[in-house]
Amino acid sequence: MKKNLVVYLTAGYPSAGMFLKAAEVAWDEGVDLLEVGLPFSDPIADGPVIQAASQRAIRSGVDFDRTMSLARRLPPHLARVLMTYSNPLFVRGWPLAFSEISRAGFSGCVLPDVPVEELLPLISFLPENFYLTPFAAPTTTGDRLNLYATAARGGAFIYLVSLRGITGAALGGAAQSAELERLISGLRRVTHAPIYVGFGVQTGRDAARLAAHADGVIVGTAALRALALGIKPFARLLRELRTALF
Amino acid sequence: MAQLGDLEAGYRRVRRDRGFTRELAVLQREYAGRPTPLYFAERLSAESGARVYLKREDLCHTGAHKINNCLGQALLARRLGKRRIIAETGAGQHGVATATVAAKFGLDCVIYMGSKDVERQAQNVFRMKLLGAEVREVKSGTQTLKDAMNEALRDWVTNVETTYYLIGSVAGPHPYPMIVRDFQSVIGFEARRQVKPVAAKGPRAIYACVGGGSNAMGIFYAFIPTRAELIGVEAGGTGSRPGRHSASLTRGRAGILHGSLTKLLSAPDGNVSPVHSIAAGLDYPGVGPEHAYLQRSGRARYISVTDREALAAFHRLTKLEGIPPAFESAHAVAGFLKERRRYRKSDVVLINVSGRGDKDIPRLFEK
């Protein structure tokens, strides 16, 4: 079965032009979902690569409004979600922020510093056809799985963190795969929402291994690293990932 | 999230455990040097026109109130079976206190500290290393306390099964603000007992400095049900523009950082603003969420004083009483001096001297 490929890009990184170009390449290479990072000053879930990209984007003036206007120039049929932390949306007011994000063409929002318990009260602020993605991790306990079923509505996927750590960290071996498989089958018992695995995916082999039981993989750090080298290495990485996920 | 749940459950278990409470009480007495005195500052009183008492947390082992919390949490970590302790530090006082208890309990210890603070507080870095802790310099972001906390959180999610994250202030995600408040509340409960003989009706007012807010919460908590006025003093730095102060309660707005909804210094786009204070321990853009609550409910009042006022208060207290306070605690003294006309001669005012100034004295030579 074909697995979905989700690629993360920090908005406006390395430059507005390169970001848009990379999104076009992503569309051409058959990326299923683009995760656009609205950069935040204190990205506690992110490793050094995404931290550096966020800081650089913030310095070059990428904020909420700029991210929305960049999003409007993305390939029109490329599905997209917004990744950020809670404060940039909180200070705008949740309902206003969600409706603006939705109007800019995003189908949902990924907030790594909001645990599923805190996500549930936000659901009432969501516009139509807009979702919030809950995060699950190897440390997620069985008694909380039902919350994921409640939170993952309106087409939401579940973001399954592959490891104990931050984005771009080193993947574990067979023990990790077994652990993820257990967690995925636990989630499958309570929800039909697609499950995408992310954190630490560097190569096509990683992607194929992690996607084995899930519905897709999310690649961020490796994508930014390739993009920093240029559009060609970025396209090469996407092709490698895409091929591995068929 | 599951780990925070486990932490809360573990904490609630030990709070009911007599053995734990007794063990902690013994350590506070014999290791930390509690109870700390409540000292009548005679010359400061004569000069300021109120009866001023200083709560001498500066006399605690390691030179600040931070040890109260570290002892409690280290015992908790041991009960939870964790062998490795991590912590963030700004001024280095919490780092030193954490490294101290880690040495005492034979636990591995890693301290995260922003590059700027490593430079500003070289002596404390050396102390932590002497105590056997590994000090990891944090070069990301603004290279201060909040970035150290980001990095400690990243470490924690990576090593969560083996590691206990010993947060130093009443900030961070629940249950930390509650745990730290409880372990620091010993300051206020002692002070309430000690002040009784001199003020049967209790003190008129209590001053404490507020960065994250642990020493203030520690002395305020016991007095919440009394009539004492509670005043938290924030770092006004060198001006009111963003980046020149760290007065989250008096100049910030509601925001979310490090797992709590509180008052925060952030730009209109939601990014956290850079902060400044002469006192590295106050250099935090957020503040404990319970302070935000006390402010909103009106039970406590928050003001700010500038670097210059804090420095003047440092010299005042040193000259009048022979007690050089930490620059952080000097803010509390400055806050009182600023408001001294509110008080009559018979009013009893408490000031929490949360730490001693030894660590800051080298910086006075530089200028």
Side-chain angles (χ1 to χ4, degrees):
Chain A
M1 206 182 87
K2 179 181 173 272
K3 308 287 185 178
N4 283 335
L5 173 59
V6 184
V7 168
Y8 167 91
L9 293 173
T10 299
Y13 174 84
S15 63
M18 280 284 273
F19 164 74
L20 292 171
K21 191 86 188 291
E24 261 161 50
V25 171
W27 172 246
D28 292 341
E29 296 295 336
V31 166
D32 300 285
L33 180 65
L34 185 69
E35 189 187 342
V36 177
L38 161 59
F40 177 56
S41 55
D42 294 79
I44 50 172
D46 287 306
V49 173
I50 298 182
Q51 284 176 43
S54 302
Q55 280 204 8
R56 182 158 153 191
I58 290 171
R59 264 203 303 276
S60 71
V62 177
D63 58 6
F64 186 92
D65 294 332
R66 181 103 182 89
T67 303
M68 294 306 122
S69 68
L70 281 171
R72 291 200 168 84
R73 293 160 62 193
L74 291 171
H77 299 291
L78 178 58
R80 68 203 69 152
V81 289
L82 186 79
M83 197 294 286
T84 190
Y85 290 80
S86 43
N87 204 49
L89 307 191
F90 174 80
V91 298
R92 287 186 100 76
W94 295 112
L96 177 66
F98 289 141
S99 76
E100 282 179 280
I101 296 164
S102 171
R103 276 206 305 275
F106 291 98
S107 48
C109 212
V110 177
L111 298 167
D113 64 341
V114 183
V116 63
E117 286 82 353
E118 303 287 334
L119 222 47
L120 296 175
L122 299 181
I123 287 179
S124 59
F125 299 137
L126 297 180
E128 248 174 277
N129 300 317
F130 192 82
Y131 60 79
L132 294 174
T133 283
F135 273 80
T139 47
T140 299
T141 45
D143 53 329
R144 294 173 68 227
L145 293 180
N146 278 322
L147 298 171
Y148 288 85
T150 317
R153 293 197 294 204
F157 63 91
I158 292 173
Y159 195 130
L160 178 56
V161 177
S162 67
L163 43 78
R164 290 165 180 73
I166 52 179
T167 56
L171 287 172
Q176 184 191 17
S177 302
E179 190 176 46
L180 287 178
E181 197 187 328
R182 267 198 309 280
L183 194 55
I184 291 171
S185 63
L187 286 165
R188 297 269 194 234
R189 272 199 293 278
V190 295
T191 172
H192 294 297
I195 299 169
Y196 300 157
V197 187
F199 284 35
V201 184
Q202 308 280 345
T203 63
R205 269 183 65 190
D206 296 342
R209 185 166 65 83
L210 289 180
H213 302 279
D215 302 297
V217 294
I218 305 169
V219 184
T221 298
L224 289 187
R225 209 180 264 144
L227 185 60
L229 298 174
I231 283 288
K232 276 210 180 111
F234 177 70
R236 238 187 341 262
L237 173 73
L238 296 192
R239 210 162 303 148
E240 178 188 332
L241 293 164
R242 185 71 277 176
T243 322
L245 289 175
F246 269 108
Chain B
M1 197 64 194
Q3 271 52 48
L4 291 170
D6 287 350
L7 176 62
E8 184 176 356
Y11 174 67
R12 291 195 190 277
R13 233 181 3 258
V14 302
R15 285 310 280 183
R16 286 195 304 268
D17 180 345
R18 285 256 181 78
F20 180 88
T21 319
R22 210 173 306 130
E23 198 178 353
L24 181 58
V26 170
L27 284 170
Q28 281 172 343
R29 190 173 66 236
E30 293 167 8
Y31 189 72
R34 304 206 70 88
T36 57
L38 186 71
Y39 162 73
F40 177 56
E42 204 177 339
R43 295 186 64 205
L44 180 64
S45 299
E47 192 183 272
S48 61
R51 282 158 65 205
V52 183
Y53 287 82
L54 306 178
K55 182 61 176 160
R56 298 291 310 276
E57 292 300 301
D58 58 316
L59 294 176
C60 283
H61 181 40
T62 73
H65 72 291
K66 294 288 185 190
I67 193 80
N68 304 330
N69 167 48
C70 288
L71 280 174
Q73 287 202 58
L75 277 183
L76 175 59
R78 213 170 55 168
R79 294 283 173 109
L80 296 174
K82 305 288 166 89
R83 302 286 316 152
R84 178 175 179 265
I85 285 189
I86 58 169
E88 81 295 336
T89 194
Q93 290 304 110
H94 175 57
V96 167
T98 304
T100 301
V101 297
K104 191 202 145 20
F105 291 112
L107 303 168
D108 291 334
C109 180
V110 173
I111 305 292
Y112 288 92
M113 190 169 183
S115 299
K116 272 193 197 152
D117 293 330
V118 167
E119 200 180 303
R120 285 193 285 191
Q121 305 284 340
Q123 194 192 332
N124 273 341
V125 175
F126 186 63
R127 276 170 84 189
M128 288 183 262
K129 288 181 178 163
L130 278 181
L131 290 160
E134 181 193 336
V135 180
R136 290 195 190 154
E137 207 175 313
V138 178
K139 297 197 168 86
S140 58
T142 58
Q143 306 179 353
T144 58
L145 180 57
K146 85 172 166 70
D147 308 283
M149 198 153 174
N150 291 343
E151 213 48 46
L153 283 165
R154 290 180 186 121
D155 179 318
W156 199 37
V157 298
T158 309
N159 304 296
V160 67
E161 268 106 3
T162 57
T163 298
Y164 184 92
Y165 181 17
L166 207 165
I167 292 188
S169 195
V170 287
H174 179 74
Y176 280 106
M178 170 179 81
I179 293 178
V180 179
R181 176 201 70 201
D182 287 353
F183 286 139
Q184 290 295 2
S185 65
V186 64
I187 305 173
F189 284 110
E190 272 177 24
R192 239 179 96 167
R193 236 183 4 256
Q194 291 164 323
V195 81
K196 226 175 209 153
V198 292
K201 285 189 296 179
R204 161 92 196 275
I206 303 171
Y207 285 85
C209 66
V210 179
S214 71
N215 88 81
M217 194 49 77
I219 198 166
F220 288 174
Y221 191 59
F223 288 95
I224 288 176
T226 72
R227 303 184 62 164
E229 197 182 349
L230 310 175
I231 303 110
V233 186
E234 294 196 296
T238 55
S240 57
R241 280 213 307 268
R244 309 199 70 158
H245 61 86
S246 46
S248 337
L249 287 161
T250 44
R251 298 210 187 95
R253 54 164 157 181
I256 299 172
L257 182 68
H258 295 146
S260 41
L261 169 56
T262 181
K263 287 292 259 315
L264 183 68
L265 292 167
S266 73
D269 63 1
N271 284 316
V272 178
S273 305
V275 288
H276 160 83
S277 168
I278 191 174
L282 303 182
D283 219 347
Y284 182 65
V287 64
E290 292 190 345
H291 282 295
Y293 172 73
L294 288 179
Q295 182 189 39
R296 189 186 246 200
S297 69
R299 180 60 192 93
R301 185 159 65 76
Y302 296 86
I303 61 174
S304 71
V305 300
T306 64
D307 282 355
R308 198 183 294 245
E309 288 166 322
L311 213 50
F314 170 90
H315 287 294
R316 246 15 257 140
L317 194 65
T318 305
K319 295 242 167 66
L320 287 174
E321 300 292 342
I323 299 171
F327 282 174
E328 290 78 6
S329 320
H331 283 73
V333 179
F336 161 69
L337 288 175
K338 203 173 178 176
E339 299 192 337
R340 64 177 180 274
R341 286 184 222 296
R342 297 167 71 100
Y343 305 106
R344 279 182 300 200
K345 267 216 166 83
S346 57
D347 286 337
V348 170
V349 174
L350 261 51
I351 301 176
N352 197 18
V353 181
S354 54
R356 61 172 172 241
D358 305 33
K359 69 179 175 67
D360 297 314
I361 289 173
R363 291 192 57 212
L364 292 173
F365 286 105
E366 288 164 20
K367 294 181 181 177

